[in-house]
Amino acid sequence: MLSVKWKLDTGGTMIVEHEEWQRLSEYLKHFGEVNHDFFGGLSKRPVGTLSSNLLQAPLTEAGMRLDAGLDYLKDAVIPQLSGSRGSRYWGFVTGGATPAATLADWLVSSFDQNVAKDGDSIASDVERQAISWLVELFQLPSSFKGVFTTGATAANLVAAIVARQYAGIQQGLDVAKQGVHGLDIEIFSATPHASMVKSLGMAGLGQNNLIQVECLANSEAIDTDDLAQKLRNSNALSKVIIASAGTVTTTSFDDLQIINKLAKEYDAWVHVDAAFGIFERLINSTPLTNGLEQAHSITLDCHKWLNVPYDCGVFLTRYRDIQFASFDVPAPYLVNNHSEPSFMSLGIENSRRFRAFPVWFSLLIYGREGITHWVQNNVRLAKRFAQAIRDSTDYELVYECDLNVVLFRPNAKNLTLRDADLKTQNVLRAINKDGRLFLSPGRWQGTQIIRAAFSNWQTEDEDVSIAVQALTDIAQNTRS
Ligand SMILES: *Cc1c(COP(=O)(O)O)cnc(C)c1O
């Protein structure tokens, strides 16, 4: 139905003119309208949509006219989207894309570059520069190189694969070629993120092969004495330490300086999952992540505190040769004459989205100061919210707010553990149903808790006031 037309431009270059593209201005008009409506209605949209109901319809055979398709979209999908990009979505540790990052992400689709290898676009250079800017932002040595991933989970998977390659080198084995069979490896961690555990499974190292190290009292941070003892008792030929810089419940930071010392002693690989905790380096003059500079590899997330759209994570390492050995894609048509390895030889995918671009553009637009400002503001507001919970008679603060996460629950005075948990679950459901804010559940020391994580660039004092009012209203309603 759609014919392809070819013609020469004035310079004599052949250009393609597809009829569909003649409608570009029509598409852009609709794009503008849908965005206008979505952004315009954001303040009235519930922060979370608790239950959704998608119209069940068969695949269309003949397709649909664009305007009819957009009407269908406006009817069937858009009303049930969440307002999670807004300032009171405090679930998980997600951010919400800034205007600059949103614009850049729109352009990623317009540009439609495949960042697999050099030689046909500047996109790979931009990705490399985005990574070196991140390394600069977080004051890491320039020996750290990396790759963009779909998120911290994928970065953790890359980490597990590179760590096992390192273990193989120690044991005279090329794991990428020979497999993990026969690899003698032990993995040590105190509070690995669930995605890290999943990654150990995906990488063939086995989720159950994780050696659980004790935590410090009242913390999710690793007890380094226990780690030292467990390393000493280990007979494995290779050892990997998975450290956390910012755990998701208590935002605890493992002591990386001691861990590095132990790692040296035992020739262990140190991977640090710093998905959101790395941003702490922007606001503390003596960061809790001191020692991160000496990690073997690092995971960080850009779709969290950097506030770029999903999906965007980063894996960094000082050992790119080992990374390359793990992921190299040798195929004749993929030969790369560039001095830098291709990104497809550094990570999971061959064809890759230009997801580095929103990060590059955000760093360009907001700079260190802009980003530091919202991180600082989030931490200030989290502490303000924690204080309001502490002052409230309806709720109790479960843990001191050290960074950007507030752990609390409804007042559990005179309640059994079970009843307190039930009450917490009911109140959380009521909070999220109310629509003014959205929070996640959690568990701490055997009890059900509610988590509020501050990582959205646009959260302000007014949002905290609205949230506190919502909590007060809900406490009243659930009491009566
Ligand atoms: C969010 C998070 C992850 C998982 O990240 P995704 O981007 O959701 O894949 C891993 N580790 C930590 C510490 C996190 O906070």
Side-chain angles (χ1 to χ4, degrees), residues 93 151-153 156 193 195 246 248 273 275-276 301 303-304:
V93 215
T153 302
N156 282 338
H193 190 268
S195 68
V248 286
D273 182 351
F276 70 94
D301 241 341
H303 58 220
K304 284 182 179 164

Side-chain angles (χ1 to χ4, degrees), residues 65-281:
R65 281 170 49 106
L66 180 61
D67 48 2
L70 283 163
D71 283 345
Y72 188 84
L73 172 72
K74 281 178 200 165
D75 218 36
V77 176
I78 293 180
Q80 298 182 70
L81 294 173
S82 74
S84 60
R85 68 173 302 141
S87 53
R88 283 188 308 281
Y89 186 95
W90 299 345
F92 305 99
V93 215
T94 62
T98 60
T102 304
L103 168 66
D105 204 65
W106 292 336
L107 293 176
V108 170
S109 297
S110 300
F111 300 162
D112 199 18
Q113 307 289 291
N114 180 4
V115 199
K117 59 194 258 294
D118 289 278
D120 58 8
S121 164
I122 199 173
S124 290
D125 300 291
V126 174
E127 178 158 341
R128 274 190 291 273
Q129 189 164 68
I131 286 167
S132 72
W133 281 354
L134 285 171
V135 165
E136 230 182 296
L137 177 70
F138 296 118
Q139 299 186 27
L140 293 169
S142 59
S143 51
F144 273 100
K145 310 281 181 215
V147 67
F148 274 84
T149 63
T150 48
T153 302
N156 282 338
L157 174 59
V158 172
I161 290 169
V162 177
R164 76 180 191 193
Q165 190 73 18
Y166 173 78
I169 294 168
Q170 291 179 319
Q171 298 173 40
L173 205 71
D174 182 344
V175 173
K177 302 269 185 329
Q178 295 161 264
V180 288
H181 183 72
L183 194 67
D184 184 16
I185 185 169
E186 276 181 353
I187 299 137
F188 301 81
S189 192
T191 315
H193 190 268
S195 68
M196 189 69 238
V197 178
K198 168 178 162 177
S199 295
L200 294 176
M202 291 192 285
L205 298 174
Q207 297 187 5
N208 294 345
N209 287 330
L210 189 70
I211 300 202
Q212 183 64 52
V213 183
E214 297 293 326
C215 292
L216 296 172
N218 197 34
S219 165
E220 286 181 321
I222 199 164
D223 176 344
T224 47
D225 291 338
D226 189 51
L227 174 65
Q229 191 179 346
K230 286 190 161 124
L231 286 168
R232 206 177 309 124
N233 293 342
S234 165
N235 293 318
L237 294 175
S238 297
K239 301 169 182 68
V240 174
I241 303 168
I242 310 277
S244 300
T247 57
V248 286
T249 304
T250 58
T251 65
S252 300
F253 289 76
D254 289 349
D255 189 327
L256 298 176
Q257 281 168 318
I258 298 180
I259 288 174
N260 289 335
K261 248 186 243 142
L262 289 169
K264 235 186 213 129
E265 196 177 326
Y266 292 96
D267 224 347
W269 180 274
V270 178
H271 172 65
V272 184
D273 182 351
F276 70 94
I278 198 168
F279 287 84
E280 183 266 352
R281 285 171 89 78

